[in-house]
Amino acid sequence: MSEYKITVGIECHVQLNTKTKLFSAVDNDAVDKEPNSCVSPFDYALPGMLPVLNKEAVHKAVQAGLAMNCKIGLESRFDRKHYFYPDSPAGYQITQMYKPIIGAGVIHLQGFDDVRINHAHLEGDAGKLTHFDDYSLVDLNRVGTPLIEIVSEADIHSAAQARAYAEELHRLMIYAGVSNGDLYQGNMRFDVNTSVSKNDKLGTRTEVKNLNSFRSVERAVEYEAARQIALLEKGEEVIQETRGWNDATGKTTGQRSKEGAADYRYMPEPDIPPVILTQEYVDKVASELPAMPDFYRNKFEALKLDNSEREAILNYPLLASRLAEVCDKNVKLAPRVAHWFSGVLLAEENLDKDFKLATANELTELSEMVEKSELSSTAGKDVFIQLYNKKNTSKTPHELAKEMNLLQENDEGALEQIIDEVLAAPECQKAAEDVRNGEMKAIGFLVGQVMKKSKGKANPGAVNKLIQKKLS
Amino acid sequence: MKIADKNTKAVDLVQAALAKAEEYKDYNVFISMNAEAALEKAKAIDEKIAKGEEVGKLAGVPYALKDNYSSHEGNTTAAAHILDSYHSPITATAVAKLEAEGAIMIGRANLDAFAHGGSTENSYFGPTKNSADNTRVAGGSSGGSAVATALNIVEFALGSDTGGSIRQPASFNGVYGIKPTYGAVSRYGVVAMASSTDTMGCFAKKAEDVDLVMSIMAGQDKKDSTTLPDYWTKNLNEVQPSKKKIGLIRDCFGEGINSEVDEIVRNYGKKLEAQGFEIEEFDMPILKYGLAIYYVVQPAEVASNLSRYDGIRYALRSADAKGLDEIYTMTRSEGFMKENQRRIMIGNFVLSSGFYDAYYLKAQKARTLLINAYNEAFEKYDALLCPVAPTPAFKLGEKTSDPLTMYLEDAMTVPASMAGLPALSIPAGKTKDGLPVGAQLIGKAQSDQLLLSIAKSCEEA
Amino acid sequence: MSITREDVLHLAELSRLSISEEEIEPLMKDLDSIVSYISQLNELDTDGVEPTYQCFDMQNVWREDEIQEMEAKREDLLALATETEDNQVKVPKVL
C-alpha cells in the first residue's frame, strides 16, 4: 500500500470577527442569541433590498491575506453564486469568483513542506438548518457573516501535514486578530479534498466537507486515503463525490449530492461597486500587522525548547508575546518561564479567558530567584501559580515567596547551627561515621535530615558542602 | 401641478383623483387603491396648512405608484401572483422622500409582472388599456402609471425603467416619461428587475413637473451603493446646452419604423431647430446590437434577482407542494407569469457553464463598445434625438403570441439603458387615428436636467 | 434548432420551474428564436475589449462597521412566512 501517494487540498472557511455582517449593519455575533435575532431585511432577502459593504471586513481580509504571505488583489469585486437551498435566502451567495481580494501565498509548516495558497476570497456565510423528523427549521443569524475561504494548492501529502496546515492557519488568523478562532462555534471550518495515486497523475478526489476540528481533519484524510486505496486494490473505482464525516464512527459516508450537476451560474454582482486598494494602504496594513508565529519561532530558537513545547506555547499569542518580552530582558531566564507556561499553566489549564498573565518583570524576577537558588525549583512553580491568584496581583514574586515561607536558607551561620544539631543526633552517628570513612553516599541521609529540620528551606547544595567540610 | 394651500384643499385634490380613478375603472389602471389612508393624509395636511405649518413641496398632490415600489401602504405585488399577498415591512427610499414632501399615493398602478414586458399585458391582474384607444395596449411595463397620468387621474406617477418601461408607455399615452441617469434615484425597496440598468423615474404632463418630482426623489442613498452624490440640484432655467447641437440618429428612422412615427419625431426636430438648435443626422451602427446585448444581460440579472422568490420566507407557497423541491418548482411555476419564466430560463442559459463567455461576457464587452459610441456622439451633440418606439400603441393581444416581436418594441429604448444614460420621452404629436407618439431625447450621463430644459423650451414654443 | 428538448428540461431544473409536457414544445420554439437572435453578437469583434458590468466607475462604496437600527424587526420578517416555529422559518424536511 505504501507506494500510493496521498494528495490533499484544503478549503478553509474563516469567519471574520467584525462587529456587523459583510453586507448588512446587524450584529455579527450570534453566539447565545435567539434564532433570527441578528437578521436584516437584506439577510432575509426581501424584495428590493441591497447590499452595503462593510469596510472593516475588507480591512480584516487584507490583514488575513498578509498574515498568509499572500499577494493582495488591488482590484477585487464580488460575484453571485446561485443555488437554491433554504440556507441561502436570496438564492445566491455573494462571493468573489473572478477577482478575489487575496491572491497567491505560502504557509510555512514545522516539520513539513510548505503549502501554497492558491487564493482566498471574501464572501457571506450561509444560514443554519436544524433537522427534525419530518421538517427543518431555518435560522438566518449566520447569513452574511463575513468569511474568507482559503483555497490551498494540492501540496499536502499526509494526514499529519493536513493537520499541521490547519493548525497553522488557525494560529495565523488568531495572531492577525481577524477571527475569534473558536472551532466549536464554527469560526473555522475545513473541506478536505483527498486523492491517492501510484503515479504522477492525480487520482479521483473526494471532498469531505465541514470539518470543525484539527483532529477530524487528520482523521478524515487518514480514513479517505485508506478507503480509496482499499477500493483501488480491489480493482474498484473512486467516485468523485462529496462525503460526510461522522466524528463518532470516524468514517466518511457518500452523500446523495448533485455536485456533479451543480452549475452555480456565477455572475458579477451589479449592486456592489468594485473595491480598489492602493499599495500604500496595503503596505500600511502590513506594517501594523502584529508579530506572526514565525517571528516568535525565530526568537525562541535561543531557548532550545523542544518543538511540542514551543508550539504549545505558540497556540496562545499572549503567552508567546510575554515569553518574547522575557527573552528581551534576559534570554538565560526565559527557558524556565517557558517550562512554567507549558508545564504548569497549560497543563493545569489555568488559561480561562479572563486570567491575568504575570508581567514580564514578575516572571523574570521569579526565574532569577530560582536561578540564584533563593527558591527551589518546586517552590518556584508554587510561587508562579500564586502569581495568577487574583488576590496577589499587587505582590512581587519575592513578597509572595516570603509570605509563602519558601525562601531558601543560604546563611551559613544558620545552616551550621542546624547541621551541628543533626551531626550530634544519635540516629545520625552511623552515617556521619561512614562519611568520615569516605562512603559519600551516606551524605544524602544527613542532607535529608538537615532539609527536614529546615522545613525544606535549606539550600541542599550549600548543606552538602558544609557537611563535607565538617566531616573531612 | 396643483399643490394644496390655503385656497386648495388637499382633501379636494385627493377626492377628485379618487373619483377619476373610479370613472376610468375599466381601463384597469390600478391593482389596489389607497383611498382611506390617502384621505387621512390629506386631512392632516389641510390641518397643518390651517395652522400655518410647513407641509412640503408636493403637499396634497395625489400620485400613482407603480406596484413594484415597496411601502407600508397596500401589498407590493409587482403584478405577480407569487407576490400578490406580500405586504412590505419597509418603504422604498424614493417613496419615503415623496411622502416627506406631502405627496399622497392614491393607488398602486398596474405593470407587466416584475416589469417584464412592453404592454402591461403580462400582468396577473389583466392588461391596462391605452388612454387614447381602449382597444390598444397601454405600453409597458409601467402602463398603469402612464395611463393614470394621461387620464388626469393623478398629477404624476412613479415608474421604473430598465429597458424602456417608462419611456415607451409615456410615448403610447402622450405624457412625459423620464428614465434618469443610472444611479440618480435610489433603487432601495423597489422590486429588482435587472440591477445594472434599473432606474426609477416618473410620468407627468409638464417638463417642470417632472423636474420637481425628480429633484425630490434623486440623490445619494446609504442603502443603495450605486447612487450618485449631489444629484438634481439645479434650477431648470440655469441648465443650458453648450453646443446647441442635437444629433438625429439616422439608424432609428426609415425602414422598420412606422411612417407616421418617423414624421412626427422629425417634426419635433424642426421644433428644436426653431429653438435655435442645429439638427445633424448621424449614424450609430452599433445600435443594431443594442437589443441583443440587452436580451443577454437583462435576463441574466432577472434570473438572479428572481431566485429569492422561492415560497419559503414570504408571500406565495404553493398549497399543493409536498416536500422542499415542490415548494420551489410549484410555487415558482404557479407564481411567475410565462414571460417571467422565459426570461429566467434565458438568463440561466446565458449564465450556465459553457455559455457564459459566449453570451454573457460577450454581451458585456459589446456593451463597452456601445458606451464608447455614445461618448463619441456626445463630443459633438448636447443630446440625441430618435423615436421611443417603432410604432404607436398596438392592439391588445397583437404581439402576445411571439415574445421576440414584443422584444423588438424595445430596440430604441434599451441602448440608453445599457449605457446608463438619461433619456426623456416627450409627447411629440398624434397619428391620424389620434394615437400619441413620443420623441426620445437621450443625453450624456448626468445631463438629465438639460434634457428637461430643452423639452421645456419647445413646450413653451 | 439550437435549443433541444433536453436543454429546456435542464434550464427548467436550473430555474426550479416545473414544466408540463405540453409547455416544452412552445418553450423550445421561443427560447430558440431568442437565442438565435442574441447570437448575432458574434458578428461583433470584441477582442481586447473590457467588459462593462456597471455603468459608472464608482468604487469603494462601503460603510463603517457599526450596528444600525433595522427598518424591520424579526417579528415583522417572520410574520411574512407561511410557517414558523421557535422563531424560525419552517420547511419540509431537507434531505
Side-chain angles (χ1 to χ4, degrees), chain A residues 115-164:
Chain A
V115 175
R116 289 166 302 155
I117 302 296
N118 175 285
H119 79 279
H121 50 267
L122 186 56
E123 63 186 17
D125 206 342
K128 221 164 59 225
L129 269 65
T130 320
H131 303 297
F132 300 87
D133 299 348
D134 60 346
Y135 65 96
S136 306
L137 295 180
V138 188
D139 174 11
L140 301 177
N141 275 351
R142 211 180 63 187
V143 165
T145 286
L147 285 181
I148 53 170
E149 180 176 343
I150 304 162
V151 181
S152 85
E153 298 288 359
D155 288 351
I156 300 166
H157 298 293
S158 73
Q161 188 188 8
R163 179 184 184 138

Side-chain angles (χ1 to χ4, degrees), chain A residues 150-204:
Chain A
I150 304 162
V151 181
S152 85
E153 298 288 359
D155 288 351
I156 300 166
H157 298 293
S158 73
Q161 188 188 8
R163 179 184 184 138
Y165 169 75
E167 288 179 336
E168 187 63 4
L169 277 189
H170 181 259
R171 287 195 197 92
L172 293 173
M173 296 304 118
I174 298 299
Y175 277 69
V178 300
S179 175
N180 295 339
D182 183 338
L183 274 68
Y184 177 76
Q185 296 291 348
N187 289 167
M188 282 180 88
R189 312 189 297 266
F190 303 88
D191 303 343
V192 298
N193 294 276
T194 309
S195 70
V196 300
S197 168
K198 281 188 171 181
N199 50 43
D200 300 345
K201 195 175 155 302
L202 283 181
T204 310

